[in-house]
Amino acid sequence: MTSEVGPRSSVWALIALPLLGVGLGAVNVAANFDLIPGSYWMAKVVGREWGWLLAGFAAAWAGKTWKSSLARALTLLVPAVATYVALDAAMIARTIDGTISGPGLVLVEGIFWEVAAIVAAAGLAAVRRLISVDGLVGMAATAALPTYIAYSAWTARRNAVRAGNDDPALIDVTNVLLPAALIVGAVATLARVMTQQSSQRKSPGADVSMDA
């Protein structure tokens, strides 16, 4: 039965992650155009980089190697980007311009964001693998994503305030996201330190050195 877990998990990921990616892209567009309940705030979560990074990292988490983590993140992010670009162009044509953008322009935009998704997925996969490394590297990797999200939220809030607070929804979201990211980063790093210390106490090498 153990040998079947890996293949079953891979099949599940191959089916579920693209569907979740399509959902992420669709929800992003729907929130941007105020088509769903809570769009006012949701657009500032799924419509910003932190929402996409969290989704990509969650997808990458179950990977056992850098390559598998990368593949999982891409399986979610690539269809998410394609869905977002296509639906966004269609909604702009419907609600703003009345005519859809040329396919060449949409294709260029799609390629740009797909490349960005690949780079982000590679970085997220690297962070995921580095978390398992003992020492300062693992602790730094554990804190990396929450720290980036906290900094990004702080920057977005600062820019909104400087612009005269013309985006109250963004202010509301960042007021929650900034402290939440800092708390999650601190708790996750502490948990990583405790796990590392526990594994060191239980390691055979530590027992041998004490007996000597």
Side-chain angles (χ1 to χ4, degrees):
M1 292 181 65
T2 303
S3 61
E4 296 178 359
V5 174
R8 287 181 179 178
S9 177
S10 298
V11 171
W12 179 89
L14 194 61
I15 296 173
L17 290 178
L19 294 177
L20 291 172
V22 170
L24 174 62
V27 168
N28 194 160
V29 174
N32 287 347
F33 288 90
D34 196 20
L35 300 178
I36 54 178
S39 294
Y40 183 72
W41 290 279
M42 191 176 298
K44 307 306 177 182
V45 178
V46 297
R48 306 285 299 199
E49 72 273 18
W50 46 66
W52 289 67
L53 289 174
L54 286 173
F57 186 72
W61 181 261
K64 296 182 179 179
T65 64
W66 178 81
K67 287 184 178 179
S68 62
S69 292
L70 173 64
R72 292 176 66 91
L74 288 176
T75 303
L76 178 106
L77 292 177
V78 168
V81 168
T83 301
Y84 172 82
V85 171
L87 292 182
D88 186 61
M91 287 302 300
I92 289 175
R94 177 184 176 184
T95 61
I96 301 176
D97 296 332
T99 57
I100 195 166
S101 302
L105 183 60
V106 175
L107 180 61
V108 169
E109 182 183 2
I111 292 173
F112 173 83
W113 287 114
E114 291 291 6
V115 171
I118 292 171
V119 173
L124 292 170
V127 169
R128 172 64 188 98
R129 300 325 309 161
L130 289 174
I131 288 175
S132 62
V133 176
D134 288 339
L136 292 177
V137 172
M139 289 184 282
T142 301
L145 185 57
T147 300
Y148 173 80
I149 291 175
Y151 174 76
S152 180
W154 174 78
T155 302
R157 187 184 188 285
R158 180 196 61 189
N159 293 340
V161 171
R162 286 180 176 177
N165 194 14
D166 60 346
D167 195 345
L170 181 61
I171 298 294
D172 290 343
V173 169
T174 54
N175 282 341
V176 174
L177 186 62
L178 176 55
L182 291 174
I183 292 171
V184 168
V187 171
T189 303
L190 179 60
R192 182 67 186 90
V193 171
M194 295 175 66
T195 302
Q196 178 177 320
Q197 291 176 344
S198 176
S199 64
Q200 288 175 345
R201 286 194 295 267
K202 295 178 181 179
S203 65
D207 294 336
V208 170
S209 61
M210 291 177 65
D211 293 338

